[in-house]
Structure formats: C-alpha cells, structure tokens
Amino acid sequence: MLDNNEEMFPIVDEEGNITGAATRKECHSGSKLLHPVVHLHVFNSKGELYLQKRPAWKDIQPGKWDTSVGGHVDLGESIEIALKREAREELGITDFTAELLTHYVFESDREKELVFSHRTTYDGEILPSEELDGGRFWSLAEIKNNLRKGIFTPNFESEFLRLKF
C-alpha cells in the first residue's frame, strides 16, 4: 500500500480537465498544483447540517468542525465515484442521491483545490470513521452564530457563505 503522501492525485485546469498528476505531498507542499476534491453537505429532513470534527492529529485544521464529507479525487476516479467513496469511508453512508451545487477554486497558503460541492438529505444512520473525532447535526442558525470564532475550518466557512444555506 502507498504511503499517504505518495497517493497520486490528478492535476486539473479550472474546468476539471486533467492536465497531469502529482503526489499528495507535492499537492500539499505549497506548489499550488490545482487538484480536485469533493464535498458533500449532509442535511437531515429538519434542515440541520451534519458537520464532522477533525481530529487533533490532522496536519491541516486539527480540532475544527468541517464539511460533512470532504476528500480528494484519486487519479483515475470520477467525481461521482470519489463522492460515494468518501461518504462511505467517512460517515458510513452508502445510499444517497447527491445534487451538485457548484464548483470553485479554493486556495490556502499550502494548496489549491478545485472543489466540487454537493448536497443531500439523509435521515439514516451516520457512523463516523476513526479518521474523524465524531460529528453532529447543527441548525443553520447555530452555524451562523459561530462563524468567524475559530470553531470551523476556513474552507467550510467560506463555502457555507458562498452557498448561502
């Protein structure tokens, strides 16, 4: 099995067309190589949004609340397959219908991602993986009241505001 840093990601243009490939380490080292990621915002039928808590050992944004599901698209994988894989790996969700909301470029000091953002409504059981420090449903008012307080990842906050939930 590959070391996490040796995983291969596709390099893309801003429309998602593959232009090359690079390792996770290369993508996260400040190179600003644009690579695709998927986000899934999981709502329940009450309109609450599930957020995952990043564990303290994560190298990026440890201990912060983040998008329900988020992960990289592996080389050779479609957006849809990556979304289903990440939802299964992170929350144990396998039976859902995702709606594409938008795609945009997110840039931090370490990396540059082409984010494909989706939503779904799901009332089934959620089983957060050991990759996470748990998670829970938040009302949209609760999220709005806690923006810009260092509780959420900057990526989640900017996307939440962008999507105007």
Side-chain angles (χ1 to χ4, degrees):
M1 189 162 154
L2 287 176
D3 171 324
N4 241 2
N5 282 323
E6 299 308 310
E7 278 180 281
M8 293 300 291
F9 295 156
I11 302 305
V12 296
D13 64 19
E14 294 197 3
E15 294 307 309
N17 301 304
I18 297 174
T19 60
T23 64
R24 169 189 290 267
K25 187 176 182 178
E26 288 170 320
C27 289
H28 290 177
S29 65
S31 65
K32 302 296 177 93
L33 291 168
L34 186 63
H35 57 286
V37 299
V38 290
H39 286 175
L40 179 64
H41 297 278
V42 178
F43 288 87
N44 62 22
S45 55
K46 292 186 251 174
E48 298 167 326
L49 179 57
Y50 188 89
L51 298 181
Q52 62 164 264
K53 190 161 190 200
R54 296 179 64 79
W57 55 262
K58 281 284 194 183
D59 60 338
I60 298 174
Q61 299 297 327
K64 302 261 177 99
W65 290 90
D66 203 359
T67 309
S68 313
V69 172
H72 292 89
V73 177
D74 290 336
L75 191 60
E77 199 173 42
S78 69
I79 299 300
E80 294 72 27
I81 298 289
L83 192 67
K84 290 192 179 308
R85 176 181 51 77
E86 288 290 344
R88 184 184 68 248
E89 286 176 5
E90 293 187 0
L91 301 182
I93 296 174
T94 55
D95 186 25
F96 67 95
T97 303
E99 171 196 354
L100 178 64
L101 299 173
T102 188
H103 71 275
Y104 65 92
V105 173
F106 177 79
E107 189 169 348
S108 73
D109 57 345
R110 291 179 59 167
E111 63 178 334
K112 192 171 175 183
E113 298 176 329
L114 182 60
V115 180
F116 289 88
S117 184
H118 302 76
R119 72 166 287 157
T120 192
T121 302
Y122 182 81
D123 286 315
E125 190 175 15
I126 294 178
L127 302 165
S129 81
E130 295 83 50
E131 277 182 51
L132 310 178
D133 193 12
R136 68 175 178 90
F137 281 98
W138 296 61
S139 73
L140 297 185
E142 189 182 11
I143 293 170
K144 288 173 185 165
N145 290 338
N146 284 290
L147 291 173
R148 298 180 190 84
K149 292 183 180 173
I151 293 171
F152 307 116
T153 65
N155 194 337
F156 169 74
E157 285 198 3
S158 71
E159 187 165 304
F160 183 83
L161 295 167
R162 174 188 295 266
L163 295 172
K164 299 178 172 67
F165 284 142

